Amino acid sequence: MELCLALDLSTKEQNLALLNTLKIFPKLWVKVGLRSFIRDGIPFLESIKTINPDFKIFLDLKLYDIPNTMADAAFECANLGVDMITIHTSSGKNAMQTIMERLTPLKKRPLVLGVTALTSFSDEDFQTIYHKNIQDQAINLATLAYQSALDGIVCSVFESLEIKKHTTNSFITLTPGIRPFNENNDDQKRVGTILDAFKNKSDFIVIGRPIYKHDSPKSVMENIYKEIEKCKS
């Protein structure tokens, strides 16, 4: 299980200061989402690598459009040298297959993960929009992603294990909404702990606010890694 730090502070300078504090953690994945990328652009990605070349960059833009447009955008993301990107699985099998056909010939391509149901959805909200149960729809979309040759999907910890049963254990599940020590849920609805993620075979966990809102992000990181090792033992 690997840790992704969600960078979502108010300024580029705050994000980079946080990373400078945490550069002693070489195995860290750094998640750059819409806010940071729109504001700070490609130079921000380059700054991350300058702080620690071993940091892995997860560019979380959740691409969603017609198949060729998505494939073109995914190709441009790959050319930025990032290590993982996200698309929406609800774009359909044709779009997902088109993306993988475009990226597979690359000498070095990022992992491609498909978003199933956002962890900010409650069951009620999801039913209102999709008229389906969250878990059933997440499994359905994950199966489509697997059949389309994606590397994995983004889901809540509570769907991870069932998705692996419907695909394979090697099909990556990345789980946002992790509150390592039962912190406030904020705007997330389907949240879990590190132990929940481990029990449900999550490959990547995403943690943001519990780290960067703390007075000592470094100590929180140390405790998170200790908790991960504790789960493994």
Side-chain angles (χ1 to χ4, degrees):
M1 189 163 61
E2 299 190 53
L3 173 63
C4 298
L5 168 66
L7 281 186
D8 197 25
L9 287 161
S10 301
T11 68
K12 176 180 73 175
E13 290 72 25
Q14 287 176 317
N15 279 330
L16 293 178
L18 175 65
L19 287 181
N20 267 305
T21 303
L22 303 178
K23 63 184 176 183
I24 61 168
F25 301 101
K27 294 182 180 180
L28 184 64
W29 283 75
V30 178
K31 186 176 91 71
V32 177
L34 281 170
R35 181 191 195 187
S36 294
F37 191 69
I38 289 171
R39 183 186 62 215
D40 304 322
I42 296 171
F44 181 57
L45 304 181
E46 296 165 348
S47 298
I48 292 171
K49 287 292 189 180
T50 300
I51 290 172
N52 189 332
D54 291 328
F55 281 159
K56 299 284 189 182
I57 297 178
F58 167 24
L59 186 58
D60 184 26
L61 302 183
K62 301 180 180 69
L63 304 177
Y64 194 173
D65 211 304
I66 62 174
N68 283 330
T69 300
M70 288 180 72
D72 288 341
F75 182 80
E76 297 301 336
C77 289
N79 284 336
L80 297 177
V82 298
D83 303 284
M84 184 156 60
I85 64 172
T86 49
I87 65 172
H88 268 287
T89 55
S90 53
S91 60
K93 202 170 182 179
N94 183 24
M96 291 188 279
Q97 289 176 336
T98 302
I99 289 167
M100 297 315 294
E101 287 167 4
R102 184 73 61 85
L103 298 188
T104 297
L106 296 176
K107 187 175 181 180
K108 182 181 181 297
R109 71 163 178 84
L111 295 172
V112 181
L113 303 188
V115 177
T116 54
L118 298 173
T119 51
S120 57
F121 273 121
S122 66
D123 287 318
E124 184 181 358
D125 291 338
F126 195 83
Q127 282 279 358
T128 300
I129 297 171
Y130 296 101
H131 309 292
K132 290 186 179 179
N133 172 277
I134 288 181
Q135 183 157 9
D136 291 344
Q137 182 69 343
I139 291 168
N140 176 48
L141 291 171
T143 302
L144 285 179
Y146 176 70
Q147 293 170 350
S148 304
L150 265 65
D151 299 293
I153 50 87
V154 181
C155 63
S156 85
V157 288
F158 305 109
E159 293 120 31
S160 175
L161 188 59
E162 202 61 32
I163 284 169
K164 285 183 180 286
K165 288 178 181 177
H166 282 76
T167 56
T168 66
N169 279 331
S170 60
F171 191 58
I172 294 169
T173 56
L174 179 145
T175 55
I178 300 299
R179 296 296 181 260
F181 308 110
N182 291 309
E183 295 89 345
N184 191 292
N185 289 3
D186 297 300
D187 57 350
Q188 301 279 26
K189 298 293 193 301
R190 292 163 15 256
V191 303
T193 64
I194 293 171
L195 182 58
D196 291 328
F198 181 79
K199 287 179 177 178
N200 287 281
K201 296 186 177 180
S202 298
D203 299 289
F204 291 87
I205 56 174
V206 181
I207 304 176
R209 282 169 282 202
I211 296 172
Y212 63 70
K213 283 189 171 182
H214 198 276
D215 291 338
S216 177
K218 182 181 172 184
S219 65
V220 176
M221 288 280 290
E222 289 170 345
N223 288 332
I224 288 170
Y225 280 117
K226 285 178 184 175
E227 185 69 13
I228 291 173
E229 290 305 313
K230 181 182 172 183
C231 290
K232 292 178 181 178
S233 61

